[in-house]
Amino acid sequence: VDTWWQTETGGILISPLAGITPTKPAYATLPLPGIQLCIVDPEGNELKGNSVEGNLCIKFPWPSMIRTTYGDHDRCKQTYFSAYKGMYFTGDGVKRDHDGYYRILGRVDDVINVSGHRMGTAEVENAINEHPKVIESAVVAYPHEVKGQGIYAYVICDMTNRTEENLINEIKEMVSKIIGPIAKPDKIQIVPGLPKTRSGKIMRRILRKVAEGSLDSMGDTSTLLDPDVVEKIIEGRK
């Protein structure tokens, strides 16, 4: 079961209802009763109907929504309610398919621009995760001298009966088949773990730093569940 929610929404807003909603891999399916979602383009125009892709907004209040940011009410307004008039902007990109099902593509600021093609990191990760030997993955952008941005994938794998080279090639082919050749990762690093906070969030800024080669300025890593994993990733990159 895939669900979608944010700390700021106060609870899950998109989810299949157990035993009622037919599920579909990688789709959070439909909004819960009373949640009025909409998809808008960068100019704020609502994209109606199915088979559309854009920015996920909510156009009507719900009981558990964020009401302020402690000590800085203006920041709350600017962050969540200023991008599109009269709407709460989630900051996430989304796709609504022909069945009206919602698939979250990832943070809008986590979009990679490869030779003019924009794609969400979550979309690439979902394709990588389709490989039966992949346990978890995280994708970031890094500067590419030809494409502008390249795709760098960190992947935790079950290496049983596989060499690293074979597995990397299989993963690239999997992504190419599901999304297209343009989404094929430029670099894939097999890692023992990912840098996560104690609440389970992947610290992508650390992964970006490693991908860029900025190894001397990792910033604060004190909130990591396992700080040693960063050293292992850096060592693996070398």
Side-chain angles (χ1 to χ4, degrees):
V1 172
D2 268 330
T3 64
W4 177 87
W5 61 286
Q6 299 175 321
T7 302
E8 297 87 347
T9 66
I12 293 170
L13 299 192
I14 310 177
S15 174
L17 298 175
I20 297 174
T21 313
T23 55
K24 187 184 295 188
Y27 284 80
T29 69
L30 301 168
L32 293 175
I35 305 302
Q36 297 185 26
L37 304 182
C38 65
I39 300 177
V40 301
D41 65 17
E43 286 70 48
N45 303 306
E46 184 174 354
L47 305 174
K48 298 188 176 181
N50 294 337
S51 300
V52 294
E53 184 177 321
N55 297 333
L56 179 63
C57 291
I58 306 173
K59 56 185 179 181
F60 195 79
W62 62 100
S64 61
M65 70 185 295
I66 187 172
R67 285 159 170 75
T68 191
T69 302
Y70 181 71
D72 194 347
H73 187 63
D74 191 58
R75 180 182 176 189
C76 180
K77 290 196 295 183
Q78 291 302 316
T79 303
Y80 304 105
F81 301 97
S82 67
Y84 305 110
K85 183 174 176 59
M87 298 182 193
Y88 169 90
F89 176 40
T90 67
D92 286 330
V94 70
K95 177 189 296 183
R96 187 166 58 218
D97 75 356
H98 58 279
D99 292 322
Y101 276 25
Y102 288 84
R103 176 173 180 162
I104 306 301
L105 302 179
R107 302 296 296 169
V108 171
D109 53 9
D110 268 344
V111 170
I112 302 176
N113 193 331
V114 181
S115 301
H117 296 266
R118 289 166 55 83
M119 63 194 81
T121 55
E123 188 176 14
V124 181
E125 289 164 3
N126 286 337
I128 292 172
N129 295 346
E130 288 290 314
H131 193 288
K133 289 287 185 178
V134 171
I135 298 166
E136 191 175 13
S137 66
V139 167
V140 297
Y142 75 99
H144 192 287
E145 57 185 17
V146 176
K147 301 178 182 178
Q149 287 186 321
I151 298 173
Y152 197 118
Y154 299 87
V155 187
I156 304 172
C157 295
D158 171 10
M159 298 298 294
T160 310
N161 301 324
R162 289 289 199 284
T163 65
E164 192 166 301
E165 183 180 356
N166 286 343
L167 197 50
I168 286 172
N169 288 334
E170 288 175 14
I171 291 169
K172 286 184 176 182
E173 287 308 309
M174 176 74 76
V175 175
S176 182
K177 180 181 176 183
I178 294 174
I179 303 177
I182 192 69
K184 191 185 295 185
D186 299 275
K187 297 181 182 180
I188 294 178
Q189 181 179 340
I190 307 295
V191 295
L194 295 170
K196 292 184 177 181
T197 63
R198 291 176 183 84
S199 63
K201 286 189 177 180
I202 297 171
M203 292 189 74
R204 292 175 185 275
R205 64 170 178 82
I206 291 176
L207 297 178
R208 289 192 197 97
K209 292 277 189 183
V210 176
E212 294 166 0
S214 306
L215 305 179
D216 55 349
S217 56
M218 287 295 153
D220 181 23
T221 58
S222 61
T223 59
L224 287 177
L225 181 64
D226 178 14
D228 291 341
V229 78
V230 178
E231 295 302 320
K232 293 173 184 173
I233 291 172
I234 292 172
E235 191 59 39
R237 184 185 186 278
K238 293 175 182 174

